[in-house]
């Protein structure tokens, strides 16, 4: 045990020497410890003391949701179980510069039709952006045979360009919400087609 105690001061001296070797003298004659820090990717800037200014150059604007777009159109064959619905934007004068992106497609009542992807020539409405030269998309629907008719509506999102937020904000109140009627085919006609 005495051997261990006698080596502790030597070990402490070695550690002190190692720490002293990493220190740099300051102008006052005392030593201060420094640690190398890996370089950062940029120099942090000082926090501003006043209110923050709005971002303009890289700001994409404000997004507004439109619960029911001004659409029209119809199914190519309402007597079939599987139908292709063409959806068209009906108010081109209201389209903002960056267009209106489709964010949802809904059929009411729920369960009357299932909604699919693209059919026919126009692109699929899911994820489609109505804009200049792009005013038509398609939705494949399948009748579930629950009786009665149904209506297809489309929801969307418009991004208001910087500086045009005020005119774009009232887009929601200026659109004339539209829907497309869907017809359940006559079950006997569907059976005849399937067996004939």
């Amino acid at each position: 045990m005495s051997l261990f105690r006698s080596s502790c001061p030597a070990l402490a001296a070695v550690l002190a020497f190692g720490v002293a070797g990493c220190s740099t003298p300051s102008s006052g004659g005392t030593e201060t410890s420094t640690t190398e820090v890996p370089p950062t990717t940029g120099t942090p800037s000082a926090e501003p003391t006043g209110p923050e200014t709005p971002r303009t150059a890289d700001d994409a604007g404000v997004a507004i949701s439109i619960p029911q777009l001004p659409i029209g159109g119809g199914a190519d064959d309402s007597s079939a179980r599987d139908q292709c619905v063409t959806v068209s934007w009906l108010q081109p004068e209201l389209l903002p510069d960056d267009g209106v992106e489709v964010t949802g497609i809904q059929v009411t009542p729920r369960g009357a039709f299932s909604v699919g992807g693209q059919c026919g020539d126009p692109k699929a409405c899911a994820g489609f952006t109505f804009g200049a030269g792009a005013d038509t998309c398609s939705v494949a629907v399948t009748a579930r045979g629950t009786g009665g008719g149904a209506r297809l509506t489309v929801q969307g999102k418009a991004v208001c360009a910087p500086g045009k937020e005020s005119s774009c904000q009232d887009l929601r109140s200026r659109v004339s919400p539209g829907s497309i009627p869907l017809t359940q085919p006559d079950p006997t006609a569907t059976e005849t087609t399937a067996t004939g």
Side-chain angles (χ1 to χ4, degrees):
M1 292 266 180
S2 63
L3 179 64
F4 179 72
R5 286 186 183 166
S6 64
S7 64
C8 283
L11 181 59
V14 169
L15 287 175
F17 178 73
V19 170
C22 293
S23 63
T24 57
S26 65
S27 60
T30 60
E31 294 183 4
T32 58
S33 178
T34 60
T35 306
E36 266 193 33
V37 178
T40 58
T41 56
T43 306
S45 59
E47 288 289 324
T49 56
E52 291 185 16
T53 56
R55 293 171 33 180
T56 55
D58 60 346
D59 194 0
V62 177
I64 62 163
S65 63
I66 305 169
Q68 196 169 338
L69 299 182
I71 58 154
D76 59 352
D77 182 5
S78 60
S79 66
R81 181 173 177 263
D82 297 314
Q83 302 173 23
C84 182
V85 181
T86 301
V87 179
S88 298
W89 180 276
L90 298 181
Q91 294 181 283
E93 72 281 2
L94 295 183
L95 277 171
D97 294 341
D98 293 330
V100 175
E101 179 185 352
V102 173
T103 57
I105 302 164
Q106 184 175 2
V107 174
T108 53
R110 288 185 64 159
F113 285 81
S114 61
V115 176
Q118 178 179 352
C119 56
D121 288 333
K123 292 183 177 180
C125 286
F128 182 77
T129 299
F130 288 104
D135 60 357
T136 304
C137 59
S138 65
V139 179
V141 297
T142 301
R144 295 266 179 94
T146 57
R151 298 201 79 80
L152 182 138
T153 57
V154 178
Q155 299 82 43
K157 173 181 74 172
V159 176
C160 306
K164 296 186 178 181
E165 291 89 355
S166 61
S167 64
C168 188
Q169 290 285 356
D170 66 344
L171 178 65
R172 206 174 317 170
S173 63
R174 294 186 342 221
V175 297
S176 298
S179 64
I180 298 172
L182 301 176
T183 305
Q184 289 284 346
D186 181 7
T188 57
T190 306
E191 289 171 14
T192 305
T193 305
T195 58

